[in-house]
Amino acid sequence: MRPIIITAFVSLDGVMDSPGGGDHPRAGWTFKEVPFVAEAYELKGTEQLEASAMLMGRQSYDEFAPVWPSMVEDFAEYNAMPKYVVSSTLTDPEWHNTRVLRSLDEVAELRQGEGGPIIVHGSARLGQALAAAGLVDRYHLLIFPVTLGSGKRLFDGNATGSLKLVDQAAYSNGIIKAVYDVEY
């Protein structure tokens, strides 16, 4: 079985909306409102090296596909690995090595296959659906010392399982790394 790992930047009040840019009124809050400390982001490099595939929802695909392929140094591994988009409307993905999945049943089949971890970036709705279906194995969270009040949230109250903290760290800029395994 291939573990599905949801990775997210979240505010202290659980919002994951527009951390680097987007439609939220405080879009870019991760970099605009919290001083940069390199070691706080080491988890991101590790994820890219350990993941064997990336899974995302349609909106995340639409945001990442025009940008990440040109970021050769920052996202070389992600650009090379297989990518899966859960969408009922996407028909011809242009990002290299991308396949469309039409349902959570197809995600479950992918998870049951051979290979390493499947990483889920920035997809609030997909993350919530995966959690409700019992398809999430781990969360990699970087929790930022800001409150946003509104926006897309990582958890909507429908997730199954309990969480077991397996790794954590706190950084000088107030970011907290929390890695949780889901126990069903």
Side-chain angles (χ1 to χ4, degrees), residues 1-2 16 21-22 48 51 53 56 58 62 66 90-91 99 102 105 124 129 133 142 147-148 152 157 170 177-178:
M1 183 175 81
R2 305 172 73 181
M16 64 180 287
Q48 192 173 171
M56 64 199 102
R58 174 63 187 268
D62 287 344
L90 183 63
T91 57
R99 183 175 142 213
R102 298 291 180 209
D105 289 338
L142 289 181
T147 56
L148 300 173
K152 296 175 189 165
K177 172 180 79 173

Side-chain angles (χ1 to χ4, degrees), residues 54 61-76 78-80 83 94-96 98:
M54 187 166 37
Y61 172 81
D62 287 344
E63 291 175 9
F64 295 163
V67 179
W68 283 23
S70 65
M71 300 176 81
V72 178
E73 287 185 31
D74 294 328
F75 299 115
Y78 284 139
N79 284 319
K83 290 163 281 299
E94 294 181 17
W95 194 358
H96 170 74
T98 299

Side-chain angles (χ1 to χ4, degrees), residues 95-116:
W95 194 358
H96 170 74
N97 207 8
T98 299
R99 183 175 142 213
V100 177
L101 304 177
R102 298 291 180 209
S103 69
L104 291 181
D105 289 338
E106 288 186 58
V107 173
E109 289 174 24
L110 178 66
R111 181 176 177 239
Q112 291 302 321
E114 300 278 329

Side-chain angles (χ1 to χ4, degrees), residues 9-12 15-21 24 26-34 142-144 146 148:
F9 293 154
V10 295
S11 66
L12 194 56
V15 176
M16 64 180 287
D17 199 341
S18 306
H24 191 276
R26 287 171 56 193
W29 50 270
T30 55
F31 303 109
K32 292 177 183 175
E33 300 185 30
V34 178
L142 289 181
I143 305 163
F144 285 71
V146 298
L148 300 173

